[in-house]
Amino acid sequence: MSEQTVTMTLDEVRILARDCLAANRCDDDNARAVAATVTAAERDGAASHGLFRIPGYVASLRSGKVNGAAKPVIERLAPSVVRADGDRGFAPLTLDEGRGPLIDCARSQGVGALALINIHHFAALWIEVEALAQRGLVAFAFTAYKPALAPAGSTQPLFGTNPMAFGWPRGDKPPMVFDQASAAMARGEIMIAARDGHTLPAGVGVDNEGNPTTDPNAVLEGGAILPFGGYKGSAIAMMVELLAAGLIGQDFSFEAALNDNNDGGPPRGGELMIAIDPAHFGDPEGWLAHTEAFFERYNSMEGTRLPADRRYANRVRNTKDGVNVRTDLRDKLVELTNSPAI
Ligand code: NDP
């Protein structure tokens, strides 16, 4: 398989993504918001959520599953709870429009929650918590997907790969952010391994008969991914289902699959975000210096690095040098742009 790549600036990435979406039933606002999310992923070296996702976004626009002209509706349900109805659109525009009201809730009440409903989420979560942590808030995000992950003790998929992300503000330093799927390996990474003809590490998945396998195709075609850390990752995946579906009246992963047309794009579902303003808790003057001293101690230990440091290093390099994109992927996106949906 060809591994040829082409170097693109981040502006070229953003314009290619935006034009491809706009040529396929996405209005300006939605195309811009999704393109910004995809570009941020490429910028930070998260290729599995970068341009690689555009064919899936386009498939969902072309099939009519996703509303490319979605107009999110924001509603305050309680002093600290906001609901953002995504109008069957992709998540990024709804996230953009829900962020301000969520920040207002957290600043006025100490804690705010944003329930995103009727969205199609196909992105990494770190983008979302980082945006809040950059504004001085502690942030959590949770979303479910379609069944891919077998609960501990089973070999049948029930949970989505169910990521959760956490962001911690660090004053004038970039926030500490972790963002992890509940799976031993994110599905996007398994898809990339299948595309590139690589095997998986042991312990990532089982085939359709429940046997352990390192073949990514066997995991993707009727098999299941295993949770990270056995029953502990399984419990986190369950928590994500409960928060991102049960709590906010959206589909559990298994329900999302029943309602999905399997066009290759993301199913309809929900997301929960929580924001906390440290100024309202017990140490409004001292929390930042106290936690910075903690990070200093952490960083002084041999072998450690903070979550997100890899992305931040990629960000500096890729902003300057551009990113390497597979030539066949770039060509496919150009073709999708030039043969638009009718
Ligand atoms: P990884 O296992 O690659 O990384 C998980 C976290 O651990 C990251 O924050 C990473 O930081 C951090 N980390 C990795 N190595 C170290 C280390 N040595 N020391 C300290 N921290 C470390 O991510 P996943 O494969 O679990 O998830 C991939 C992505 O897929 C996520 O962004 C997730 O949101 C997304 N996803 C989206 C779904 C959706 O439905 N929208 C579904 C499932 C996943 P760093 O980035 O700096 O390496």
Side-chain angles (χ1 to χ4, degrees):
M1 182 176 292
S2 161
E3 296 272 347
Q4 278 189 328
T5 62
V6 57
T7 302
M8 297 177 71
T9 65
L10 294 178
D11 250 0
E12 288 169 340
V13 167
R14 186 180 52 75
I15 289 165
L16 176 60
R18 185 200 63 196
D19 289 355
C20 190
L21 293 159
N24 286 281
R25 303 183 179 152
C26 229
D27 69 12
D28 286 351
D29 286 345
N30 281 279
R32 177 194 46 73
V34 174
T37 297
V38 164
T39 306
E42 291 286 348
R43 178 200 66 196
D44 281 17
S48 61
H49 289 90
L51 291 173
F52 173 68
R53 295 277 162 166
I54 295 285
Y57 281 112
V58 167
S60 290
L61 291 162
R62 288 188 173 188
S63 78
K65 179 173 76 183
V66 170
N67 178 8
K71 305 243 173 298
V73 176
I74 311 295
E75 194 183 346
R76 185 77 75 104
L77 299 184
S80 61
V81 182
V82 178
R83 181 166 64 196
D85 185 328
D87 191 22
R88 291 194 306 108
F90 294 123
L93 185 62
T94 309
L95 283 156
D96 283 352
E97 300 202 357
R99 186 174 302 116
L102 171 61
I103 291 171
D104 290 346
C105 281
R107 293 221 196 287
S108 61
Q109 307 298 317
V111 179
L114 173 65
L116 298 115
I117 63 170
N118 292 323
I119 53 162
H120 294 258
H121 202 297
F122 212 31
L125 293 179
W126 52 260
I127 299 171
E128 306 165 11
V129 294
E130 190 180 310
L132 293 171
Q134 279 168 341
R135 290 164 174 81
L137 300 173
V138 180
F140 296 86
F142 310 90
T143 192
Y145 194 72
K146 289 197 285 188
L149 201 64
S154 168
T155 55
Q156 300 294 312
L158 175 67
F159 305 139
T161 45
N162 292 9
M164 65 165 285
F166 175 74
W168 185 270
R170 299 191 61 199
D172 54 8
K173 296 198 180 76
M176 191 291 293
V177 172
F178 75 74
D179 173 15
Q180 57 193 36
S182 305
M185 184 181 267
R187 194 163 184 277
E189 298 293 340
I190 297 175
M191 289 163 70
I192 284 187
R195 181 195 69 182
D196 295 348
H198 298 151
T199 55
L200 303 174
V204 165
V206 294
D207 65 18
N208 60 5
E209 292 178 344
N211 300 313
T213 180
T214 57
D215 176 357
N217 292 302
V219 173
L220 294 171
E221 291 158 17
I225 312 173
L226 298 173
F228 76 85
Y231 60 86
K232 297 182 185 181
S234 181
I236 301 235
M238 182 186 293
M239 177 188 74
V240 172
E241 295 279 340
L242 295 171
L243 292 176
L247 181 70
I248 62 174
Q250 297 299 283
D251 283 349
F252 291 108
S253 293
F254 81 94
E255 294 169 329
L258 295 174
N259 293 327
D260 193 44
N261 66 2
N262 296 314
D263 56 15
R268 181 143 47 112
E271 175 178 0
L272 181 73
M273 297 199 72
I274 298 171
I276 300 173
D277 185 352
H280 288 265
F281 288 75
D283 193 11
E285 304 302 327
W287 70 270
L288 182 58
H290 191 197
T291 53
E292 282 307 304
F294 167 77
F295 287 130
E296 201 173 311
R297 188 168 182 110
Y298 174 99
N299 281 329
S300 73
M301 299 177 77
E302 198 178 330
T304 61
R305 70 154 170 97
L306 285 174
D309 280 358
R310 178 194 62 89
R311 283 194 300 102
Y312 293 146
N314 287 341
R315 184 177 301 182
V316 171
R317 191 191 59 241
N318 292 342
T319 301
K320 186 162 77 63
D321 299 341
V323 292
N324 292 328
V325 175
R326 283 176 62 114
T327 309
D328 53 1
L329 175 59
R330 193 274 317 265
D331 292 348
K332 183 175 176 100
L333 302 190
V334 170
E335 186 192 318
L336 288 171
T337 307
N338 293 336
S339 56
I342 299 160

